[in-house]
């Protein structure tokens, strides 16, 4: 045993090693540790949660389901409603109880998630990068890590990759091809202060192929005059996400008067779901496994939901002493059953919308307004098909929903 590991009581072997202390990794670790498993989380950044790469929105029920209260310190703002604007001025408002939510302070939220894991008995190391996986007899059985210029070896029964969108280990182990051009978005965001907000408890979404190709612009309030103002666009656009966001802001005096507190950039996987997220002694969750809602790009709920399934399967694997791909395949099956099928339907709608012009988007949102915008988020292909098929200018997009 060497110095760094012994100083912090790090063992040579764990039941579970989790790569990444994002929400997905911390939740998996917390749930496994609560069941008595020996868990180690390894985080390459020196501070959990920073820098943020997120607009920080989460629905109320999704947050409460993680065991948090309504008055947590990491809640920056309560959200009561949302509004979607298309380029020609179509407006769709949502004001139901179901849509209540929060804008978080991710730097504090991620730490709160990690704290829950630590208090449940998991051990956490930051500033520690997993540089390699250890493989023996066709099983992943640990990791090589780098801390302060030195490398160390830690063994485990299972390695969970919760590495986020870059997911280098997942790509290697599962032999993944890069996502297709319509399966990855580029995001850019300013956290702005002293801006004029229409309503500090309302999310605003701006849709248009010319302002945000394949995606949208958002304003997520973090206070009376403060908000995350950001954009997500298809990653293969000729111009950058920052270019489109700046062009849009340059016409908005309500934003131009403000100051920038923070700039964030990041990629968002949208739709390239993996049929198989496991191998012997290994499974992947969250952004690393491309588990993100393809229309709005939200991944906090998806990562923590997948964590719950992963933890359940890992605990069963421990009691059966079986970490084979065959056994861990339960995780693939459960995820596809509980989330994958629905998200794949949402993805088809996203594929259709990404092909639409400003005029066509305006038309479809006009029609959706008369039914329910929930059909989009829940991937209701029947209802969206009906709208496309009854509108001559939109019929051609129905093929994407098959
Ligand atoms: C611009 C933008 C806006 C977004 N807005 C929202 C939103 O409003 N709401 C929402 O729900 N989602 C949003 N998302 C998506 C959300 O941020 C992610 O889906 C979520 O963070 C995924 O959680 P995760 O635990 O899978 O991964 P992450 O939160 O990315 O955590 C992965 C962790 O792994 C660490 N890591 C990586 N490699 C290694 C290694 N080799 N060794 C050790 N550690 C490693 C990383 O440092 C990181 O801390 C947004 C994303 C972007 C880019």
């Amino acid at each position: 045993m060497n110095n760094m590991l012994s100083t912090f009581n790090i063992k040579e072997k764990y039941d579970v090693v989790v790569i990444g202390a994002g929400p997905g990794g911390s939740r998996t670790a917390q749930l496994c540790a609560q069941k008595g498993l020996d868990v180690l989380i390894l985080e390459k950044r020196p501070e959990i949660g920073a820098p943020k790469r997120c607009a920080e929105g989460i629905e109320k029920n999704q947050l409460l389901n993680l065991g948090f209260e309504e008055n947590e310190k990491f809640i920056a703002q309560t959200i009561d409603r949302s509004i979607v604007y298309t380029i020609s001025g179509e407006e769709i408002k949502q004001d139901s109880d179901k849509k209540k939510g929060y804008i978080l302070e991710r730097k504090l939220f991620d730490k709160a998630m990690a704290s829950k894991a630590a208090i449940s008995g998991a051990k956490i190391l930051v500033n520690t990068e997993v540089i390699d996986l250890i493989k023996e007899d066709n099983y992943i059985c640990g990791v090589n890590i780098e801390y302060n210029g030195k490398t160390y070896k830690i063994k485990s029964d299972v390695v969970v990759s919760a590495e986020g969108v870059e997911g280098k280990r997942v790509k290697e182990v599962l032999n993944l091809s890069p996502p297709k051009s319509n399966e990855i978005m580029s995001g850019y965001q300013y956290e702005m202060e002293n801006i004029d907000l229409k309503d500090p408890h309302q999310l605003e979404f701006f849709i248009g192929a010319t302002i945000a190709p394949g995606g949208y612009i958002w304003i997520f309030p973090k206070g009376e005059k403060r908000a995350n103002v950001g954009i997500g666009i298809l990653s293969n656009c000729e111009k950058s996400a920052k270019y489109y966001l700046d062009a849009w802001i340059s016409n908005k005096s309500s934003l131009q008067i403000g100051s920038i507190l923070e700039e964030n950039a990041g990629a968002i996987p949208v739709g390239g779901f993996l049929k198989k997220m496991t191998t012997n002694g290994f499974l992947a969750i969250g952004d690393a496994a491309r588990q993100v809602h393809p229309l709005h790009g939200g991944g906090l709920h998806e990562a923590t939901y997948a964590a719950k399934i992963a933890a359940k399967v890992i605990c069963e694997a421990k009691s059966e002493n079986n970490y084979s791909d065959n056994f861990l395949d339960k995780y693939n099956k459960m995820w596809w059953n509980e989330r994958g099928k629905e998200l794949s339907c949402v993805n088809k709608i996203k594929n259709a919308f990404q092909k639409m012009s400003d005029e066509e988007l305006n038309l479809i949102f006009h029609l959706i307004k008369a039914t329910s915008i929930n059909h989009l988020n829940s991937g209701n292909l029947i209802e969206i098909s009906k709208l496309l098929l009854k509108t001559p200018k939109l019929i051609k997009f129905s093929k994407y929903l098959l």
Side-chain angles (χ1 to χ4, degrees), residues 19-25 42-45 49 53-58 106 110 128-131 162-169 187-189 218 220 231 264-268 285-288 291-292 296-301 303:
I19 314 175
L42 300 162
E43 170 55 53
K44 72 176 175 186
R45 303 195 225 175
R53 287 189 297 187
C54 191
E56 307 178 287
I58 191 165
R106 271 279 312 251
D110 283 23
T128 308
E129 181 165 6
V130 172
I131 48 169
E163 298 163 88
V165 66
E166 280 94 19
K168 282 192 196 147
R169 300 317 126 198
Y188 206 87
Q189 180 178 266
W218 62 81
F220 283 12
I231 190 170
N264 318 114
I268 308 159
I285 65 152
D287 276 20
Q291 293 164 333
V292 171
H296 58 58
L300 290 173
H301 172 64

Side-chain angles (χ1 to χ4, degrees), residues 22 49 53 103 167 179 284 314 391:
R53 287 189 297 187
I103 303 303
I314 292 168
T391 318

